Amino acid sequence: MRLILENIVFELQKAGGISVYWAELLFRMNEKHSSELIFFGEPNENIFRRGLTGLVEEAEPSLFPVGVRRYLPFLKKLEKGSIFHSSYYRFSIQSDVATVTTVHDFTYEYFTKGISRFVHSAQKRAAVRHSAGIICVSENTKRDLLKFYPEIDPSRVRVIYNGVSGDFYPIGEISDIPNCFEVLSGIKFLIFVGDRSSYKNFDKVVDVLLMNESISLVIVGGKAFSEEESGLLSSLAGRVFHFRGVTGPELNYLYNKAFCLVYPSSYEGFGIPVIEAMKAGCPVIAANRSSIPEIAGDAALLVDDITAHAISSLVEQLDDPVVRKQHVEKGFSQASKFSWDKCFEETYAFYKEVYERKFF
């Protein structure tokens, strides 16, 4: 079985959940099945790609820049009977090649309007329709897939959960503070991880700080503050810290130091930070929406109404050492259900299933 893995997501992102997913798969594929693999990719600045040493990539022959190429099918002639898996919604047009597509979420379909939604949705639909096998990262994403594409045969779809990196674990007594985080010494802070799109409800987290002057906020990742966000945060000078380009070990330090992760997103395909935080021993407050109850189980404190008052009330509950200890322990148990090794093994098994169904 010949596997063709196309790494365009590393050119599209410097970091991000899909980059984490793809890097974890590539590391294990290259370690265990290197003789079956061909990688396609271009030089990039992705922080997770930099960690993949010994990965040899071929350049995709194309005259188009990545901004155009990302929306086109993969046109290079591939060996007959190959499995083609793109990191971001591309497919092979060859009838003698089986495409596998991973669907992470439907945020564009739910929350984006205009030409951006149309283009992305058309690309995703084309990839799904041309795929012999479709991976969804949660049952919630699978339900959304069949809602938006009712023509898809469910037998072609497999739910394979994301994992969580070994970078995340409880440190115990924290003695060595990374220089970049010395400013956080002695501060009680909430941590917010990821982008700050409207459906992430970042404004509600800001309101929590306005209600409680004793708490600060650490934001990890996402773009630089917009003019609107700067205005929103103007009254919180000295209480909001933004770190970008954070490594796994650095993020683990922040989870260990944080009072809790606040993750009030209205929609997630999976929600990797929830499991990362739990594995590091950081309590989680999240929204009772989309995939979050499925992924968090009973280990997180969930809000039905995403309001600052509801979130603040749960933050106060975590001041109780008994409640805090209960949720930390539940978090360890829940996080143990997810691993990148398991994700890899199930993905490779699905490749073989697709290969046998397509070619035999």
Side-chain angles (χ1 to χ4, degrees), residues 53-69:
T53 57
L55 197 74
V56 178
E57 296 170 294
E58 295 185 20
E60 178 187 349
S62 176
L63 299 175
F64 298 106
V66 66
V68 175
R69 186 163 37 89

Side-chain angles (χ1 to χ4, degrees), residues 17-320:
I18 298 178
S19 290
V20 172
Y21 165 84
W22 197 247
E24 294 286 356
L25 282 185
L26 260 57
F27 169 74
R28 288 162 177 80
M29 290 289 179
N30 196 42
E31 185 179 58
K32 299 185 179 183
H33 300 285
S34 60
S35 63
E36 303 174 23
L37 297 173
I38 296 177
F39 298 106
F40 282 93
E42 299 286 346
N44 58 77
E45 299 179 0
N46 188 283
I47 64 173
F48 300 106
R49 172 61 183 90
R50 288 204 301 266
L52 294 172
T53 57
L55 197 74
V56 178
E57 296 170 294
E58 295 185 20
E60 178 187 349
S62 176
L63 299 175
F64 298 106
V66 66
V68 175
R69 186 163 37 89
R70 62 178 296 183
Y71 296 114
L72 301 177
F74 190 83
L75 300 178
K76 179 178 171 59
K77 178 72 173 177
L78 301 175
E79 181 182 320
K80 178 181 178 180
S82 296
I83 297 288
F84 175 82
H85 191 180
S86 169
S87 56
Y88 201 75
Y89 301 123
R90 300 182 73 198
F91 58 91
S92 171
I93 61 172
Q94 291 178 230
S95 60
D96 56 2
V97 167
T99 292
V100 171
T101 293
T102 299
V103 178
H104 296 274
D105 58 49
F106 285 84
T107 53
Y108 274 84
E109 288 77 2
Y110 280 121
F111 300 104
T112 306
K113 297 179 180 179
I115 189 65
S116 179
R117 173 181 174 173
F118 173 80
V119 171
H120 178 88
S121 297
Q123 177 193 20
K124 186 188 295 181
R125 183 184 291 273
V128 167
R129 284 180 168 176
H130 282 86
S131 294
I134 303 155
I135 296 170
C136 290
V137 298
S138 65
E139 293 288 350
N140 186 75
T141 297
K142 179 181 177 181
R143 285 192 294 271
D144 285 339
L145 176 87
L146 298 177
K147 170 186 172 181
F148 284 102
Y149 312 140
E151 71 276 14
I152 297 301
D153 181 353
S155 68
R156 291 162 52 197
V157 184
R158 184 76 71 254
V159 173
I160 301 176
Y161 288 120
N162 289 334
V164 57
S165 171
D167 286 339
F168 303 101
Y169 57 91
I171 296 174
E173 192 67 30
I174 300 174
S175 55
D176 296 327
I177 302 174
N179 291 336
C180 57
F181 300 140
E182 286 182 350
V183 67
L184 302 176
S185 181
I187 292 176
K188 177 182 179 181
F189 65 84
L190 311 179
I191 184 169
F192 182 98
V193 178
D195 75 80
R196 303 181 301 279
S197 303
S198 60
Y199 69 90
K200 299 283 190 175
N201 296 303
F202 174 70
D203 58 326
K204 304 299 191 300
V205 182
V206 174
D207 289 342
V208 170
L209 264 67
L210 294 173
M211 294 167 59
N212 192 329
E213 295 182 356
S214 68
I215 297 177
S216 296
L217 175 65
V218 167
I219 303 162
V220 177
K223 297 178 180 178
F225 293 139
S226 66
E227 187 175 328
E228 180 182 354
E229 287 176 325
S230 295
L232 187 67
L233 298 170
S234 60
S235 62
L236 296 171
R239 293 174 59 198
V240 177
F241 307 88
H242 188 196
F243 300 100
R244 303 170 70 194
V246 171
T247 65
E250 288 171 340
L251 181 55
N252 184 56
Y253 170 84
L254 292 173
Y255 281 138
N256 272 265
K257 188 77 168 57
F259 184 72
C260 67
L261 169 71
V262 182
Y263 204 72
S265 177
S266 296
Y267 180 83
E268 293 293 323
F270 182 86
I272 287 178
V274 169
I275 299 300
E276 290 176 342
M278 288 180 178
K279 193 166 185 284
C282 178
V284 174
I285 295 173
N288 192 20
R289 304 283 178 86
S290 63
S291 66
I292 297 302
E294 176 186 349
I295 303 307
D298 66 349
L301 291 157
L302 300 180
V303 292
D304 293 315
D305 297 318
I306 307 174
T307 66
H309 285 284
I311 296 169
S312 184
S313 175
L314 295 182
V315 171
E316 290 176 8
Q317 287 187 37
L318 287 172
D319 276 320
D320 183 331

